[in-house]
Amino acid sequence: MKSPPGHRDTADEGHAGVSENMMKRKNPHKKHKSSLSPATKVLSQPSHNMVGCRIQHVWKEGGGHVVWKGAVLDQVPVNPSLYLIKYDGFDCIYGLELLKDERVQGLEVLPDRLAKSRLTDVNLADSMIGKAVEHMFETEEGPKEEWRGMVLARAPIMTTWFYITYEKDPVLYMYQLLDDYKEGDLRIMPDSNDGVPAEREPGEVLDSLVGKQVEYAKEDGGKRTGMVIHQVEAKPSVYFIKFDDDFLIYVYDLVKTS
């Protein structure tokens, strides 16, 4: 039984050994349902074209190290050094410069490919995208806890999975939401005009902030810098942000927050 995510430590807080931030993202919500084929021992050296590949590497930070395995979902066009990775047993998406980050050591490509799967209900899947939802998660005490969020898109490569983010934890997560919906753990909220961008004239293009540098003021008076790396097609005011001091992907409505 897995619990919802709690407080998140940032990568620059300097934990001893392997960063606690890297550790406490393991299964923050509920049981991980894997669609990955098992790893084998035959490995190859990484190349620049790793999207769609299974990888493994050592994560070395401070005095500790651990081996991670996962799937490379995407290479960010505005920063080709940055890859989006879904690690085994983790529900959130990580953004790492796999070929540049000194904490990533011994990077290798596994020969096993992602298991092919097909959506069982394409119409239901399409109807979820861009919608506000209530997502239920198990708690250690027993009763389920409700998390409000938004379904952002179907995930690349692993197409039976969906990108989602939550009001209480605005980072990028990935779940097999059709299963949760059919099990009664996901409810699509009625459409509301609250927070919906104004209607645009036909042919009018909303200016994109992708590739722009951003600065975020922290409560302690400090600042975080980062880059806007993606615009959500279903909600053009919503963007993915990768901060320089963190390997999580944050999701913000930049029209609301500007």
Side-chain angles (χ1 to χ4, degrees), residues 11-26:
D12 60 339
E13 286 181 329
H15 298 285
V18 178
S19 168
E20 184 180 347
N21 189 22
M22 197 68 173
M23 296 294 294
K24 60 190 302 182
R25 279 294 168 183
K26 188 167 186 177

Side-chain angles (χ1 to χ4, degrees), residues 85-152:
I85 308 118
K86 169 73 169 65
Y87 285 107
D88 296 357
F90 286 70
D91 297 321
C92 60
I93 303 303
Y94 290 86
L96 290 172
E97 295 187 338
L98 289 172
L99 301 177
K100 289 184 175 182
D101 196 318
E102 295 180 353
R103 297 168 296 184
V104 176
Q105 299 186 5
L107 177 64
E108 295 173 297
V109 176
L110 300 170
D112 51 313
R113 303 292 295 182
L114 296 174
K116 292 184 179 180
S117 54
R118 182 177 298 177
L119 280 174
T120 56
D121 193 332
V122 175
N123 291 333
L124 176 59
D126 290 343
S127 71
M128 288 183 178
I129 296 172
K131 297 296 178 60
V133 295
E134 291 178 345
H135 203 182
M136 305 301 292
F137 295 102
E138 299 165 341
T139 64
E140 293 180 359
E141 293 76 20
K144 293 184 177 181
E145 183 177 344
E146 175 187 289
W147 281 66
R148 290 178 176 265
M150 177 183 290
V151 181
L152 303 168

Side-chain angles (χ1 to χ4, degrees), residues 14-43:
H15 298 285
V18 178
S19 168
E20 184 180 347
N21 189 22
M22 197 68 173
M23 296 294 294
K24 60 190 302 182
R25 279 294 168 183
K26 188 167 186 177
N27 285 334
H29 288 314
K30 64 190 301 183
K31 185 177 180 181
H32 175 74
K33 301 173 183 176
S34 177
S35 63
L36 308 177
S37 53
T40 63
K41 294 183 179 180
V42 182
L43 306 171

